[in-house]
Amino acid sequence: MKRSEVNRNELSPMMKQYMEIKDKYEEEILFFRLGDFYELFFEDGILASRELELTLTGKNAGLKERVPMCGVPFHSAKPYLEKLVNKGYKVAICEQLEDPKTTKGMVKRGVVQVVSKGTLVDLDFLKEYDNNYIGSILDFKTKYILTYADVSTGHFYVCALPPKKDKLLSEVLNLNLKAVVLADNTDVELVDTLKNSYGISVYINSEYLEDEYQNIYKDIKDIHFLTGIKHLLYYLVIKELKDLSHIKEVEIVEKNEYLIMDIHTIRNLELFETLRLKERTYSLIWLLDKTKTAMGSRRLKHWMQYPLKEKEKIEKRYDMIEVLNNEFILKEELRKDLFEVYDMERLCAKVICGMLNARDVIQIKNSLKVLPSIIEKVAKLKFNLKIKDHHELYELLDKAIVEDPPISIKEGSLIKEGYNKELDELRGIRSGGKEFISSLEASEKERTGIKNLKVGYNRVFGYYIEVSKGNLKDIDESWGWERRQTLTSCERFITPLLKEKEALVLNAEEKIIELEYSLFLEIKDILKKELFNLKSTAEEISKLDAIISLSVASEELNLVRPELTSSHDVKIKDGRHPVVERVSKTEYIANDCIMDESIDTLLITGPNMSGKSTYMRQLAIIIIMAQMGSFVPAKSAVLPVFDNIFTRIGASDDLVSGESTFMVEMLEACNAIVNATPQSLILFDELGRGTATYDGMSIAEAILEYINKNIKCKTLFSTHYHELTSLDQKFTNIKNVHVSALEENGTITFLHKIKNGAVDKSYGIHVAKLAGMPQDLLKRANEILKYYESENKEPSVKQEQIIFDLGEEEDDKINILKEELDEMDPLNMTPMEAINALYNLKQKAKDLN
């Protein structure tokens, strides 16, 4: 049965209420609160029963047949909610807005929040070391405006990106956006790529929030930024009912202030996850993250995502690391203090837009408890961190909330004795009544002589005196007992005195629960007033934790302070790849990387598996670590400040977009060539291997020449095309180096040491031998190699230029097509634009025929 097929006039009042609420949340799965359960009906019930593996039943709704239904208990709904959200569904939570006990007629219900992947605030659902961003993308033709927010921490950003889809997608993937909001006129290809190629939840919205939350963007004047901010705000506030009072201001991200790395570079260098397993373990962040708080872990990741370009800011972090390395006792004491600090950023968000409970408040209190100790140590270190102690707030929370409160805030047992006089009096009344009732059983046994008499309680009948059937004859009517309940084995009675005490106890119990809930809401309001101060403290704590992490890493990993230079020199002595060094089972071989002002390119030759790629990655990682403010893995390092890092490392087809290895190589190489400046770093690993030998060699040589003639940035270029090593005679800014290997008795040993000059021979067959190729195959390969070497022959398959003899009429046609080609700029085309251009040329060629 579908919802659209139902005659609403026949529905029961409760189901009519459900239908009216569901009409407003067509896209969401509606969790409809009925007593102690969330119930789901019609299509929602069928879908949820399948996704959550629940039993699909039916419910009487006034119709001839029962409507499809399934449900989950209110108190244990979290796992079900998490499962649906992780599968990409949005869930609307519909609560009872009135107390059923005090309401006559239908209980008022309404949706209190919408939960989706990008707007989770519950700490149980989130990775502590990662942000949970939702973004808005608006296309203004001249640029994209990307606005993104983490509702769980209260961070809100906006930035402008070039009008190129690859740049936009790179940033979306780099930020790991969980969901994006797009206008209804967004390019269909972009929507399809985000949703189907990368599994990002896509929501369509073309409205803008004009009146609310103007305080968070009051200082922003750019109309494009304002439009993007209002677009995301509308979705969060109107569509998902989010209270964003914990957001202080929107931050403009100026991309030119940071070292820029696209998503290919970040993945190739394995900064946040490994290429093979897509896991955090064995990534660079895994190695450097020695933080003690979730906030510090996220801060460290942000520093790695956005390395600095301003020398003064970088040096400031170096100075702090040096101080911490010298004050190691204070550092260890600080780490112990930080271990006691909970995720204050996300706890602050829960105060506003989450279901804050008393246990969350205890976590805030325990975090505040260690602040005086942290402040004292920070002062000794002379760090410029503005951390408040929040002494008054701590005293209030310590006095108010019990140490081990229940999860629910509506069942009492939250507030400490001595906090509120009225509450203490009610507890006294309740306690006195309970003491009387507990003593009543003994006194009644003695008075009546009925030895198996019991005094009990249940929710339906309240307090009672229970007497077995065999002792009913001993009851005297003069006692004034009233029969309350008859069971098969006994009878239950109530007395006037017991009735009086019961009313006293139950009334006190009810009033206690109501008063505790009211007092908790008062404490929550106090937390709201202190919210921005708490968030400022959390931000400073995160910076402290991140810099201490880098200090600990510098000692554990034997890192040194780099020297930043205004010249174009790169002078790294005994550089190391820190992750490879940590996981390697053999001794790591350190290598120099010396590129003075006169050298722009190192042309690297050497056999596969010898360490060329590691050497290239090593340089990039040292630069990233240096510019994020970390010490680096080397004996010494003198480095300039770089503005971009471009990489093409590894050979793999882009299965998502259906592009071949060679097309991926060319796209990434084009991106580097078009966007690199003299202050950039380019890493090209065996460029050109994805096509035929002569094609690949020609392209590789042309790219090398272009870089060294026109860009003149620092470049590491590894190759198996030995013909390219002669380029150092043509360009004085190219230097040949190779990875050495030792050959003895037909076996090869990789020395992993970088030496000057080109390699003198190839070791392809030796590598095949190491891989375990059959002996017959290796023997035949050697025979073929000797044949080519001794006869100085080239492979039989040659590429020749095909010359066409065309008449004058054909020349005219060719000229028309040539004019079209001359107007094109392939280096500034996206892959889709290139395909469209090729298609149009093909059509024109057909028309001319």
Side-chain angles (χ1 to χ4, degrees):
M1 183 190 298
K2 295 183 178 179
R3 197 163 55 89
S4 59
E5 299 170 349
V6 170
N7 182 351
R8 298 196 180 194
N9 294 325
E10 297 176 359
L11 290 172
S12 64
M14 186 277 295
M15 191 54 69
K16 283 181 180 177
Q17 184 189 49
Y18 167 82
M19 298 289 266
E20 289 171 2
I21 295 171
K22 178 63 184 173
D23 287 343
K24 299 174 184 175
Y25 296 92
E26 295 278 357
E27 297 178 1
E28 293 79 12
I29 296 173
L30 185 64
F31 272 41
F32 190 74
R33 179 76 179 274
L34 282 171
D36 289 336
F37 283 81
Y38 286 122
E39 297 191 357
L40 301 94
F41 303 105
F42 297 105
E43 290 91 338
D44 284 357
I46 295 168
L47 186 149
S49 68
R50 182 183 71 243
E51 297 286 8
L52 301 176
E53 300 178 4
L54 299 171
T55 302
L56 184 67
T57 61
K59 189 177 185 73
N60 292 322
L63 304 173
K64 291 180 182 178
E65 60 179 300
R66 290 154 65 90
V67 302
M69 184 208 83
C70 67
V72 298
F74 161 72
H75 290 292
S76 57
K78 269 188 182 182
Y80 300 105
L81 188 64
E82 181 183 14
K83 196 170 183 180
L84 286 173
V85 169
N86 284 338
K87 289 188 174 189
Y89 296 106
K90 290 197 292 181
V91 180
I93 309 293
C94 178
E95 294 288 0
Q96 296 173 166
L97 303 179
E98 299 173 321
D99 188 344
K101 296 176 185 175
T102 60
T103 304
K104 292 182 180 180
M106 179 68 65
V107 174
K108 186 178 178 182
R109 292 181 176 86
V111 172
V112 295
Q113 65 170 322
V114 176
V115 183
S116 67
K117 253 187 183 181
T119 56
L120 288 170
V121 294
D122 197 312
L123 274 65
D124 295 338
F125 296 165
L126 299 169
K127 291 180 179 177
E128 63 176 22
Y129 52 78
D130 207 358
N131 282 102
N132 192 58
Y133 289 126
I134 181 172
S136 151
I137 298 170
L138 293 179
D139 183 359
F140 287 98
K141 303 307 177 187
T142 58
K143 59 186 168 184
Y144 284 111
I145 295 298
L146 176 62
T147 313
Y148 54 101
D150 183 348
V151 178
S152 74
T153 62
H155 292 133
F156 205 119
Y157 304 96
V158 64
C159 68
L161 297 170
K164 296 181 179 179
K165 285 177 192 170
D166 58 336
K167 298 284 186 188
L168 173 67
L169 290 170
S170 176
E171 192 66 17
V172 167
L173 296 173
N174 188 13
L175 291 167
N176 192 22
L177 295 188
K178 302 297 189 298
V180 292
V181 185
L182 305 174
D184 55 13
N185 62 348
T186 302
D187 178 58
V188 174
E189 184 196 352
L190 177 60
V191 176
D192 181 66
T193 302
L194 289 167
K195 185 187 290 186
N196 299 322
S197 298
Y198 297 112
I200 297 170
S201 299
V202 174
Y203 310 128
I204 304 298
N205 165 62
S206 294
E207 298 187 68
Y208 306 87
L209 192 71
E210 296 294 344
D211 301 323
E212 297 178 63
Y213 297 105
Q214 294 183 18
N215 59 298
I216 70 173
Y217 56 81
K218 64 181 185 298
D219 297 326
I220 296 176
K221 306 302 179 188
D222 187 299
I223 188 65
H224 298 113
F225 286 159
L226 290 172
T227 306
I229 293 164
K230 292 175 181 179
H231 184 241
L232 184 57
L233 282 174
Y234 183 91
Y235 181 80
L236 293 174
V237 175
I238 304 302
K239 292 288 188 180
E240 295 217 355
L241 307 176
K242 299 301 179 189
D243 184 343
L244 304 179
S245 306
H246 60 305
I247 295 174
K248 190 174 184 180
E249 60 186 359
V250 178
E251 182 180 334
I252 297 174
V253 178
E254 299 288 358
K255 300 293 288 182
N256 60 0
E257 293 180 2
Y258 304 102
L259 169 64
I260 296 173
M261 304 174 286
D262 64 18
I263 190 62
H264 304 294
T265 297
I266 287 169
R267 287 178 174 173
N268 284 335
L269 297 177
E270 300 183 308
L271 298 187
F272 306 115
E273 63 179 23
T274 57
L275 277 169
R276 182 175 295 178
L277 299 177
K278 307 295 182 187
E279 291 181 353
R280 192 173 192 261
T281 304
Y282 304 129
S283 67
L284 182 62
I285 192 70
W286 162 80
L287 187 71
L288 296 184
D289 191 350
K290 313 293 181 182
T291 58
K292 293 295 184 180
T293 70
M295 303 172 292
S297 186
R298 291 193 296 272
R299 174 71 59 178
L300 189 68
K301 182 180 180 182
H302 181 78
W303 286 356
M304 192 178 290
Q305 274 180 315
Y306 298 102
L308 300 167
K309 281 167 58 178
E310 191 176 326
K311 186 178 174 183
E312 187 179 333
K313 290 181 179 177
I314 300 171
E315 295 278 8
K316 185 179 176 183
R317 290 182 189 170
Y318 294 164
D319 293 341
M320 294 175 78
I321 292 171
E322 276 201 341
V323 170
L324 287 164
N325 287 352
N326 292 329
E327 297 285 353
F328 55 90
I329 295 175
L330 275 178
K331 178 171 68 179
E332 286 307 311
E333 290 175 353
L334 270 172
R335 295 188 81 205
K336 289 177 183 176
D337 287 341
L338 288 169
F339 186 70
E340 302 298 322
V341 178
Y342 290 84
D343 196 341
M344 287 175 62
E345 280 184 336
R346 285 181 168 159
L347 288 168
C348 285
K350 286 192 77 174
V351 172
I352 297 296
C353 55
M355 310 299 277
L356 187 80
N357 60 44
R359 292 186 184 181
D360 297 324
V361 177
I362 288 296
Q363 289 187 355
I364 293 174
K365 185 200 83 171
N366 289 339
S367 300
L368 300 182
K369 184 178 181 180
V370 294
L371 290 184
S373 176
I374 291 173
I375 291 168
E376 181 186 351
K377 295 176 180 66
V378 167
K380 289 179 181 178
L381 294 169
K382 297 180 181 178
F383 286 171
N384 185 26
L385 296 172
K386 297 172 183 176
I387 305 172
K388 297 181 179 179
D389 64 5
H390 304 279
H391 177 71
E392 291 182 4
L393 181 60
Y394 170 75
E395 291 291 337
L396 170 72
L397 301 183
D398 187 48
K399 185 180 177 183
I401 306 295
V402 298
E403 291 302 322
D404 188 20
I407 293 176
S408 172
I409 58 175
K410 294 186 176 181
E411 295 178 7
S413 303
L414 304 173
I415 306 298
K416 279 183 178 178
E417 189 177 336
Y419 178 72
N420 181 275
K421 186 177 179 183
E422 183 184 354
L423 182 61
D424 290 344
E425 289 174 355
L426 286 169
R427 284 173 172 167
I429 293 169
R430 181 183 65 180
S431 178
K434 285 187 173 181
E435 285 176 8
F436 168 79
I437 289 166
S438 62
S439 64
L440 179 66
E441 184 175 304
S443 63
E444 284 298 290
K445 281 181 181 180
E446 186 177 340
R447 185 174 73 84
T448 62
I450 303 173
K451 299 302 181 186
N452 64 354
L453 174 149
K454 293 178 182 177
V455 176
Y457 170 83
N458 68 32
R459 282 187 164 185
V460 178
F461 293 101
Y463 287 99
Y464 53 80
I465 297 172
E466 183 177 290
V467 179
S468 64
K469 292 282 190 183
N471 288 313
L472 290 177
K473 62 182 185 307
D474 298 327
I475 298 173
D476 193 324
E477 289 186 9
S478 64
W479 297 347
W481 288 12
E482 296 176 19
R483 184 172 278 102
R484 175 160 278 192
Q485 186 183 14
T486 300
L487 301 175
T488 53
S489 60
C490 62
E491 295 274 350
R492 289 173 176 174
F493 300 88
I494 188 76
T495 71
L497 184 60
L498 189 57
K499 194 183 291 185
E500 179 187 332
K501 292 295 183 182
E502 176 188 73
L504 196 67
V505 170
L506 295 182
N507 285 340
E509 189 78 51
E510 192 173 321
K511 287 180 180 178
I512 286 169
I513 291 172
E514 289 177 2
L515 183 55
E516 287 203 56
Y517 180 64
S518 175
L519 291 170
F520 182 80
L521 293 181
E522 287 178 9
I523 292 165
K524 186 177 177 181
D525 287 337
I526 293 169
L527 283 169
K528 284 182 180 180
K529 291 175 184 176
E530 277 291 303
L531 201 66
F532 288 132
N533 288 331
L534 287 170
K535 280 173 63 70
S536 296
T537 295
E539 186 174 346
E540 298 294 276
I541 290 289
S542 72
K543 293 175 185 175
L544 176 65
D545 195 18
I547 205 72
I548 289 175
S549 176
L550 293 179
S551 170
V552 172
S554 75
E555 292 183 322
E556 290 185 1
L557 305 175
N558 191 26
L559 310 180
V560 298
R561 176 172 181 156
E563 178 188 336
L564 299 181
T565 176
S566 55
S567 71
H568 206 43
D569 290 350
V570 172
K571 295 179 181 177
I572 299 171
K573 287 285 188 181
D574 289 343
R576 313 184 309 276
H577 189 302
V579 180
V580 175
E581 182 184 29
R582 169 54 65 93
V583 301
S584 178
K585 295 177 182 177
T586 58
E587 183 184 354
Y588 187 88
I589 305 300
N591 277 298
D592 298 345
C593 184
I594 309 296
M595 303 172 76
D596 58 25
E597 289 273 10
S598 64
I599 299 298
D600 292 324
T601 297
L602 291 184
L603 186 57
I604 310 166
T605 49
N608 286 323
M609 294 174 56
S610 61
K612 298 192 302 295
S613 297
T614 300
Y615 179 68
M616 297 171 76
R617 286 188 175 99
Q618 173 180 308
L619 173 61
I621 282 174
I622 286 173
I623 290 165
I624 291 165
M625 288 176 66
Q627 290 187 220
M628 71 180 279
S630 169
F631 285 11
V632 299
K635 188 175 181 180
S636 66
V638 177
L639 300 166
V641 174
F642 289 85
D643 61 4
N644 281 273
I645 295 179
F646 302 98
T647 67
R648 173 57 201 162
I649 300 174
S652 60
D653 292 2
D654 188 341
L655 299 177
V656 169
S657 60
E659 290 168 347
S660 68
T661 298
F662 186 64
M663 175 57 88
V664 172
E665 281 188 352
M666 292 302 99
L667 288 171
E668 292 182 16
C670 177
N671 178 46
I673 291 166
V674 170
N675 295 294
T677 74
Q679 284 71 49
S680 301
L681 173 70
I682 294 177
L683 306 178
F684 282 161
D685 186 20
E686 297 183 30
L687 199 67
R689 63 185 164 185
T691 188
T693 303
Y694 297 119
D695 267 357
M697 188 167 64
S698 303
I699 290 168
E701 183 170 345
I703 288 173
L704 263 173
E705 288 184 359
Y706 186 91
I707 291 171
N708 285 277
K709 276 183 182 177
N710 301 294
I711 305 174
K712 297 183 179 179
C713 66
K714 297 301 183 188
T715 303
L716 266 59
F717 196 109
S718 74
T719 186
H720 281 297
Y721 299 132
H722 294 276
E723 295 82 353
L724 298 182
T725 57
S726 62
L727 283 172
D728 68 336
Q729 299 167 22
K730 186 176 179 182
F731 293 93
T732 58
N733 56 346
I734 293 179
K735 178 182 177 182
N736 280 313
V737 296
H738 70 276
V739 189
S740 58
L742 179 65
E743 185 185 357
E744 290 181 326
N745 302 321
T747 62
I748 185 172
T749 304
F750 299 123
L751 302 179
H752 304 292
K753 196 69 181 174
I754 299 292
K755 294 184 177 180
N756 291 331
V759 74
D760 55 356
K761 64 180 293 185
S762 177
Y763 295 95
I765 295 175
H766 294 86
V767 174
K769 184 178 180 182
L770 287 175
M773 286 286 187
Q775 285 297 322
D776 291 348
L777 185 152
L778 295 171
K779 184 179 178 183
R780 176 59 182 150
N782 269 308
E783 290 172 359
I784 295 170
L785 179 64
K786 286 176 183 176
Y787 170 74
Y788 284 131
E789 287 177 343
S790 62
E791 299 294 329
N792 196 22
K793 289 183 178 289
E794 293 183 354
S796 57
V797 178
K798 292 186 177 181
Q799 295 176 328
E800 297 180 358
Q801 186 177 7
I802 300 173
I803 301 172
F804 294 94
D805 184 16
L806 303 171
E808 289 184 11
E809 185 181 341
E810 292 298 318
D811 283 345
D812 292 338
K813 294 177 182 179
I814 292 299
N815 286 336
I816 293 171
L817 295 176
K818 185 176 182 301
E819 287 176 11
E820 289 278 335
L821 283 167
D822 288 341
E823 291 177 5
M824 292 180 187
D825 183 3
L827 292 180
N828 285 318
M829 280 183 171
T830 66
M832 185 54 67
E833 287 169 346
I835 290 169
N836 288 334
L838 185 61
Y839 176 79
N840 291 333
L841 281 172
K842 191 174 180 182
Q843 289 298 114
K844 284 199 174 183
K846 282 183 181 178
D847 294 341
L848 289 170
N849 288 332

